[in-house]
Amino acid sequence: MLQDLSAILYFLCLISTASIRINADEFNVLDFGAAGDGNADDSMAFIKAWNNTCSATAKSPTMVIPKGKTFLVRPITFAGPCKSSDITIMGVDSLQIDGSGTIDGRGKAWWDISCKINKKEGCIKLAPTVLKFDRCNNLRMNNMNFINSPQTHVTLMGCNGVEFGFLSIQAPGTSPNTDGIHIQASSNVYIHNAHISDGDDCISIGDNTSNINITQVDCGPGHGVSLGKDGGEVHVENITVSNINFKGTTNGARIKTWQVGKGTVKHIVFSNLNFTDVENPIIIDQHYCDVADSCKETDTGVHIDDVLYAQSFGTSKTEVAINLNCSSSSPCTNIIVDTIQLKPANPGQRVISSCNNANGQSKGTDQPKCCF
């Protein structure tokens, strides 16, 4: 069980199975020299505890990170293969992480030298991720707390069969690039019952992803739930985002792509969304650029097809509450807007929809009326 772990951990999931049971042969990091005072470097103690856990011949060896302590750990890798096929904390197939502790990335020092905040010579564009899962299958993580990552809090890369539930992820709304969860090249991912507030996307979905189900999430502050952006060959499909509360976010349901990108984003459902003071509640931006309006028009584009926005309500801080800004080279097709009710967040303000190269239809009672 991970408790009060101030660390940046990289889980390279290339070994056998895991569970979260405390069972025979426990290897406590304190027994290998960890101080747990939040100041001393406990990295070597964690490495030693893991090596002993991994080499144990018991049926279910366990690496123990005790509660009530704060551990300072440098970026480390827990890797196998291991002798046991049932390991707690680090495994591969069927890894389970459960606990009520907090992983603190202590990101402020990184934010202060971020190029987004401080553009002086020597600024950094890429900071560490607090927790990364690489090539994990049948992964489960529940009841975890994350705060103040230098950059993205949790990343999935090349994973299949993932469930994240009852998570809390928090960073200041002004912190740069601190996405809550980023999903890349992964499939069959289920995220539910989470509270995410940060300085970037609450959940972002990158290239080569499929069969993603996100539900029961409180998002804000942050940039919303976003799909896309990649400038290469994009393949994103079968994404369902439902029962999300967006509060004070820059965006709500967003699909964004680079003009130089190719490929497809298709079979997307956004439903039962609640917006409170959101700047761009519903937005497709196929002209995404890191520096606004500085990317040249191209004759390429990602094809966005079969997107449903349904049964969603709330308030918009900007006049354009529904903004479908698609590419002239690759227009959006089969966009359906069904029963969307968006009102102005400020008295006297109006809300409208704006369409550019977007083809689809409006169903139900929509406010503002869609511009197809």
Side-chain angles (χ1 to χ4, degrees), residues 125-205:
K125 293 183 178 180
L126 184 64
T129 293
V130 160
L131 183 60
K132 179 179 180 181
F133 296 99
D134 193 340
R135 290 163 285 175
C136 297
N137 298 316
N138 301 318
L139 168 67
R140 302 290 180 270
M141 181 168 68
N142 293 282
N143 303 305
M144 293 298 299
N145 304 305
F146 300 87
I147 61 173
N148 299 332
S149 176
Q151 201 153 311
T152 303
H153 286 77
V154 180
T155 293
L156 291 174
M157 178 70 72
C159 297
N160 180 48
V162 177
E163 180 183 350
F164 287 168
F166 303 97
L167 303 183
S168 174
I169 299 175
Q170 297 184 54
T174 54
S175 57
N177 299 319
T178 52
D179 297 64
I181 300 171
H182 178 65
I183 306 168
Q184 185 83 20
S186 298
S187 58
N188 302 306
V189 177
Y190 177 38
I191 298 173
H192 62 93
N193 297 96
H195 178 83
I196 304 174
S197 57
D198 56 42
D200 211 304
D201 296 329
C202 290
I203 299 174
S204 59
I205 299 173

Side-chain angles (χ1 to χ4, degrees), residues 13-28:
C13 292
L14 294 174
I15 53 179
S16 52
T17 60
S19 74
I20 202 63
R21 299 190 307 274
I22 301 300
N23 218 320
D25 273 17
E26 296 183 353
F27 298 90
N28 193 313

Side-chain angles (χ1 to χ4, degrees), residues 30-48:
L30 296 178
D31 295 334
F32 293 90
D37 61 5
N39 296 309
D41 186 347
D42 293 325
S43 302
M44 188 54 64
F46 272 67
I47 292 171
K48 290 178 179 178

Side-chain angles (χ1 to χ4, degrees), residues 184 206-208 228-236 256-265 286 288 298 300-303 330:
Q184 185 83 20
D207 189 21
N208 291 320
K229 180 186 171 182
D230 198 287
E233 188 75 21
V234 175
H235 298 285
V236 176
K256 57 181 182 180
T257 64
W258 292 88
Q259 295 178 81
V260 295
K262 299 178 182 179
T264 58
V265 173
Q286 287 205 270
Y288 184 81
T298 69
T300 58
V302 177
H303 183 203
S330 183

